Amino acid sequence: MSPVTMGVDPDGTVLVASYPERAKVHNVRRHGQAALCILSADFGGEWVQASGTATVVDLPEAMEGLVTYFRSISGEHSDWDEYRQAMIDQGKVLIRVAIERWGPISKGGFPPHLLGS
């Protein structure tokens, strides 16, 4: 696993922007599966492992998915033409993960008996 920023499309598919040379991209192309460790905003907070069928989408087909990825994380971009050009210039790909299995949700943090120490 490697740390990534994840977005989610309206259908609940997890979206990850990456570069074609990365090991995660090669592994998804080879195996068609991915596992994710999804952390809460608080590092010591809850987290869950999820896994499912994964695909890599290359440009130009990836472009609208990359826009959806950005929107789901950051909202509207100030210049979508500039964003689209940056994705082309950087040669980005989109990893799509359809979650099939997840859980359990870990509560994380210190065990309750250590909180008072």
Side-chain angles (χ1 to χ4, degrees):
M1 285 194 185
S2 60
V4 296
T5 302
M6 295 176 257
V8 180
D9 75 10
D11 296 326
T13 301
V14 174
L15 307 174
V16 176
S18 191
Y19 297 96
E21 303 84 5
R22 300 288 192 230
K24 67 180 73 58
V25 172
H26 289 287
N27 290 334
V28 168
R29 287 190 199 277
R30 186 176 316 122
H31 301 292
Q33 297 286 313
L36 309 165
C37 179
I38 303 166
L39 304 174
S40 64
D42 174 19
F43 180 78
E46 297 176 340
W47 59 272
V48 65
Q49 181 173 323
S51 60
T53 302
T55 57
V56 176
V57 184
D58 297 291
L59 290 170
E61 292 80 14
M63 188 59 74
E64 290 314 305
L66 289 164
V67 168
T68 301
Y69 161 83
F70 184 96
R71 277 190 174 124
S72 73
I73 296 168
S74 300
E76 292 300 316
H77 194 279
S78 60
D79 185 338
W80 284 114
D81 290 337
E82 176 184 82
Y83 174 82
R84 286 179 171 90
Q85 189 59 53
M87 296 300 96
I88 293 167
D89 293 347
Q90 295 173 28
K92 291 284 192 152
V93 297
L94 181 70
I95 299 171
R96 300 177 49 81
V97 183
I99 301 300
E100 296 164 350
R101 295 167 300 284
W102 63 274
I105 296 175
S106 170
K107 297 300 180 185
F110 286 107
H113 71 278
L114 294 178
L115 288 176
S117 300

